[in-house]
């Protein structure tokens, strides 16, 4: 069954994706829909908003691990940041 899109903005977006991917409009729309379906399914499996919280927590844990166990910033260090030479 054919799909007819009568929205100029959607048509322009399809043209842009077509030029970026070097494909046809049909293939660009197919890929965009497949990607959105996969993303929606993944979000539904992960619990949507709960997944965002967990990913954010995991991100901060990775940042802390990369930062190492440096010394905490004390008042003297913080004050030194505002001194002018």
């Amino acid at each position: 069954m054919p799909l007819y899109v009568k929205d100029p903005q959607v048509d322009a977006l399809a043209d842009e994706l077509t030029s970026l991917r070097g494909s046809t409009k049909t293939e660009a729309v197919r890929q965009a829909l497949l990607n959105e379906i996969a993303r929606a399914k993944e979000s539904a499996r992960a619990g949507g908003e709960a997944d965002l919280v967990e990913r954010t927590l995991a991100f901060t844990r990775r940042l802390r691990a990369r930062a190492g166990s440096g010394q905490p910033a004390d008042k003297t260090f913080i004050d030194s940041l505002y001194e002018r030479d």
Side-chain angles (χ1 to χ4, degrees):
M1 177 171 287
L3 171 69
Y4 297 103
V5 178
K6 297 179 182 180
D7 184 321
Q9 183 182 19
V10 173
D11 187 54
L13 290 169
D15 283 337
E16 183 177 357
L17 187 55
T18 296
S19 68
L20 291 170
R21 296 263 175 121
S23 65
T24 64
K25 272 189 183 180
T26 300
E27 187 58 29
V29 170
R30 177 185 294 115
Q31 287 302 312
L33 290 170
L34 287 170
N35 289 338
E36 276 304 301
I37 289 168
R39 195 169 74 117
K41 284 180 179 179
E42 180 61 32
S43 179
R45 273 193 299 265
E49 292 297 319
D51 180 52
L52 179 59
V53 171
E54 187 53 44
R55 287 188 305 158
T56 303
L57 290 172
F59 174 73
T60 56
R61 284 185 206 110
R62 287 192 310 271
L63 282 178
R64 284 188 185 128
R66 287 178 60 192
S69 59
Q71 297 292 328
D74 60 4
K75 182 176 181 347
T76 305
F77 172 74
I78 293 172
D79 289 345
S80 73
L81 296 175
Y82 295 97
E83 293 175 1
R84 292 183 182 223
D85 293 326

